[in-house]
């Protein structure tokens, strides 16, 4: 075995991982292909370059990303420390001066005597992993050469190159005075049923789908706002390929006022429990996690701006007060089929010497990427020390699922046929025991308290 750990990729996950490894007295080789080669979205020669928003989202503990930040701070995260040092005014959110942030991260990493930064493109990690531990943290724009090698190494036909994901909402924020469970055709009233018998049957229905019926007026108002809503600007390299396999809901709607009613919103096979009649249109929500706490809006992949998604999709009956735990996206996002390939330490099941971290592992967002880098690094160090000491103990460092760090790791490693990248949200944490708390702020406070009470687990990791 070599006497260092290799990290491929100098983004948020890679730099956090490299720092955590060096902090524990282990040498690191950090490979970053810039400035020799740039991805289509990068232009700075610095490490930890921020290419989109400069916001790291909320600092509040009643926000899942805010709680995640606090967990990382308690673990001694370098990037959380630098984000605070380089912050700019942003109310309750943590936003940074992106140039200063990258500059400070680069100085901290390059000045660390245990970290060797190698500016070179890596297209094959198989040799590196033969005699050493490797963390692949190459991000959503992984170069074609390495992506091809990862495909071969994992035995997958393809990577999930384009992220065409529908919005996801928290189940407990759906209005069930309007919404009802059920599968198509199983929801229609039978000829010999009374209305009361039929409604009782709907309550007993077990289904992976929640249905939101719309009348003609509701549908036409929704359609009007949808076709006129603001969309994001795609990168040039995304425009050609993004629409080939998946049509954005707003593009579909622009083909005609009734197009959606013959597509994802078709009402055929349903009756509205409130009226006993077929609705004008039906929006379906599909269960998105095994616990049934979050649901995605079927067929609603979109390029709408996040604020517009909140505004327009909240017009759907039953979603007026909906909490969007993830907004819809359609962009280039290379990531692996983590539920099949990784365990809850971001370790490749087929090869104990290889870890993945960052957005290529299926987490989405800046802080989430840092979190994955932290977990992968701690476990890589654990493996490294076992190898050095010829210790056959197979125990891994798995974070409690009551923490956001642990919940994200569990999400990306739990079987899921409809897997898509996920950011921090309370919907992926286990529900609180005891009486259900209806007040959202109080419930989130309790979830945060439970998480931070798990911090005794963190003590031996710092």
């Amino acid at each position: 075995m070599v006497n260092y750990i290799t990290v491929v990729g100098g983004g948020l996950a890679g730099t956090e991982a490299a720092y955590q490894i060096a902090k524990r007295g282990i040498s690191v080789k950090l490979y970053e292909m810039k400035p020799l080669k740039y991805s289509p979205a990068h232009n700075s020669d610095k490490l930890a370059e921020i290419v989109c928003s400069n916001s790291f989202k909320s600092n509040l503990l009643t926000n899942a990303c805010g709680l995640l930040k606090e967990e990382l701070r308690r673990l001694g995260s370098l990037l959380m420390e630098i984000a605070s040092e380089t912050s700019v005014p942003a109310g309750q959110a943590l936003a940074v001066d992106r140039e200063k942030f990258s500059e400070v991260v680069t100085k901290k990493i390059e000045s660390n005597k245990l970290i060797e930064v190698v500016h070179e493109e890596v297209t094959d990690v198989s040799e590196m992993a033969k005699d050493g531990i490797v963390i692949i943290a190459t991000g959503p724009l992984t170069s074609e050469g390495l992506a091809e090698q990862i495909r071969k190494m994992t035995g997958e036909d393809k990577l999930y190159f384009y992220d065409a994901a529908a919005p996801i909402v928290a189940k407990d924020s759906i209005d069930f005075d309007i919404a009802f469970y059920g599968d198509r055709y199983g929801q229609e009233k039978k000829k010999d049923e009374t209305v009361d018998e039929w409604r009782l049957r709907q309550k007993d229905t077990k289904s992976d789908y929640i249905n939101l019926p719309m009348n003609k007026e509701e549908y036409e108002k929704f359609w009007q706002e949808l076709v006129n809503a603001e969309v994001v600007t795609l990168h040039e390299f995304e425009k050609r390929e993004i629409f080939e396999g998946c049509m954005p809901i707003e593009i579909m709607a622009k083909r005609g006022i009734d197009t959606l009613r013959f597509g994802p919103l078709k009402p055929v096979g349903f009756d509205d429990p409130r009226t006993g009649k077929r609705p004008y249109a039906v929006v379906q929500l599909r269960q998105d996690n095994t616990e049934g706490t979050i649901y995605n809006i079927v067929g609603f992949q979109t390029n709408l701006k996040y604020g517009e998604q909140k505004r327009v999709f909240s017009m759907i009956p039953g979603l007026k007060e909906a909490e969007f735990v993830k907004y819809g996206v359609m962009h280039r996002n290379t990531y692996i089929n983590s539920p099949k390939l990784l365990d809850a330490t971001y370790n490749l099941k087929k090869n104990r010497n290889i870890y993945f971290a960052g957005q290529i592992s299926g987490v989405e967002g800046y802080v989430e990427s840092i979190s994955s880098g932290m977990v992968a690094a701690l476990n890589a160090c654990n493996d490294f020390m076992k190898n050095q000491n010829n210790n056959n103990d197979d125990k891994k460092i798995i974070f409690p699922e009551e923490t956001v760090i642990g919940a994200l790791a569990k999400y990306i490693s739990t079987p899921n046929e409809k897997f898509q990248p996920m950011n921090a949200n309370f919907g992926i944490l286990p529900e609180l025991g005891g009486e259900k708390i209806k007040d959202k702020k109080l419930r989130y406070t309790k979830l945060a308290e439970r998480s931070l009470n798990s911090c005794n687990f963190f003590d031996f990791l710092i």
Side-chain angles (χ1 to χ4, degrees), residues 313-330:
F313 298 157
S314 293
M315 295 177 66
I316 298 169
L319 297 186
K320 183 179 179 181
E321 303 296 331
E323 177 195 350
F324 289 79
V325 301
K326 176 181 170 66
Y327 287 108
V329 292
M330 294 191 72

Side-chain angles (χ1 to χ4, degrees), residues 328-366:
V329 292
M330 294 191 72
H331 58 74
R332 169 77 180 268
N333 189 4
T334 304
Y335 61 100
I336 62 173
N337 187 8
S338 295
K340 178 181 176 182
L341 299 172
L342 304 184
D343 66 18
T345 68
Y346 297 87
N347 194 192
L348 186 64
K349 294 175 184 177
K350 291 183 176 180
N351 190 328
R352 183 67 183 260
N353 282 354
I354 297 176
Y355 287 83
F356 284 84
Q359 292 193 74
I360 196 170
S361 72
V363 297
E364 186 167 74
Y366 298 155

Side-chain angles (χ1 to χ4, degrees), residues 16-31:
E16 183 69 58
Y19 171 80
Q20 294 298 331
I21 294 165
K23 181 180 177 181
R24 286 156 179 80
I26 301 169
S27 296
V28 185
K29 275 194 176 182
L30 173 61
Y31 284 83

Side-chain angles (χ1 to χ4, degrees), residues 18 45 55 71 96 118 136 148 190 193 199 202 220 223 260 288 310 321 339 358 385 400:
D45 62 355
S55 174
E71 293 174 2
V96 302
V118 182
I136 301 172
E148 177 62 27
K190 297 176 181 178
E193 279 183 313
R199 285 175 176 160
Q202 310 316 306
E220 291 183 348
W223 177 85
L260 297 180
D288 203 80
K310 173 69 173 175
E321 303 296 331
M385 295 309 296

Side-chain angles (χ1 to χ4, degrees), residues 94-304:
L94 173 60
V96 302
D97 178 319
R98 69 179 73 228
E99 298 297 331
K100 288 183 179 177
F101 175 81
S102 296
E103 185 178 321
V104 176
V105 173
T106 302
K107 286 181 178 178
K108 289 277 189 180
I109 295 297
E110 290 183 341
S111 64
N112 192 308
K113 294 180 180 179
L114 288 175
I115 302 174
E116 177 188 356
V117 181
V118 182
H119 294 286
E120 178 183 313
E121 181 184 4
V122 174
T123 58
D124 189 345
V125 297
S126 57
E127 289 299 317
M128 295 175 172
K130 279 184 179 179
D131 296 312
I133 298 169
V134 181
I135 298 175
I136 301 172
T138 46
L141 295 175
T142 296
S143 66
E144 290 184 11
L146 182 56
E148 177 62 27
Q149 205 265 332
I150 292 170
R151 272 198 296 270
K152 292 177 180 177
M153 179 178 65
T154 57
E156 296 289 286
D157 292 334
K158 63 181 180 65
L159 301 187
Y160 289 64
F161 278 112
Y162 292 95
D163 190 0
I168 296 175
V169 299
K171 177 189 170 186
D172 59 14
S173 67
I174 299 167
D175 184 354
F176 279 92
D177 287 337
I178 298 172
F180 60 92
Y181 286 98
D183 301 318
R184 199 175 298 279
Y185 301 109
Q187 292 306 120
E188 290 185 307
K189 180 178 172 297
K190 297 176 181 178
K191 289 183 179 179
D192 58 347
E193 279 183 313
T194 67
V195 172
D196 286 342
E197 288 173 337
W198 173 74
R199 285 175 176 160
L200 183 62
R201 181 163 62 86
Q202 310 316 306
K203 291 182 179 180
D204 294 334
T205 297
K206 301 296 182 184
S207 173
D208 293 334
Y209 289 89
I210 294 172
N211 305 287
L212 307 172
M214 305 174 85
N215 61 34
K216 187 173 187 291
E217 181 182 4
E218 291 167 337
Y219 173 81
E220 291 183 348
K221 284 183 178 178
F222 167 74
W223 177 85
Q224 189 67 40
E225 293 302 315
L226 178 61
V227 296
N228 290 300
E230 290 186 78
V231 298
V232 299
T233 302
L234 295 175
H235 291 98
E236 285 299 321
F237 65 89
E238 294 176 310
K239 290 179 181 178
R240 179 177 60 84
E241 298 171 273
I242 200 70
F243 302 104
E244 289 180 2
C246 211
M247 181 67 65
I249 189 76
E250 65 274 9
I251 297 296
M252 193 184 301
K254 288 177 181 178
R255 294 186 170 182
I257 192 168
D258 286 322
T259 302
L260 297 180
R261 295 181 60 246
F262 288 89
L265 274 69
K266 65 182 179 183
V268 177
F270 293 104
D271 288 333
D272 186 341
R274 297 172 299 174
T275 64
K277 299 179 181 179
R278 177 176 291 181
Y280 194 72
V282 170
V283 175
Q284 285 199 292
L285 309 180
R286 180 172 51 226
Q287 185 172 327
D288 203 80
N289 65 345
T290 53
E291 294 79 10
T293 56
I294 54 178
Y295 280 71
N296 68 73
I297 311 179
V298 178
F300 273 59
Q301 58 277 354
T302 179
N303 275 318
L304 295 188

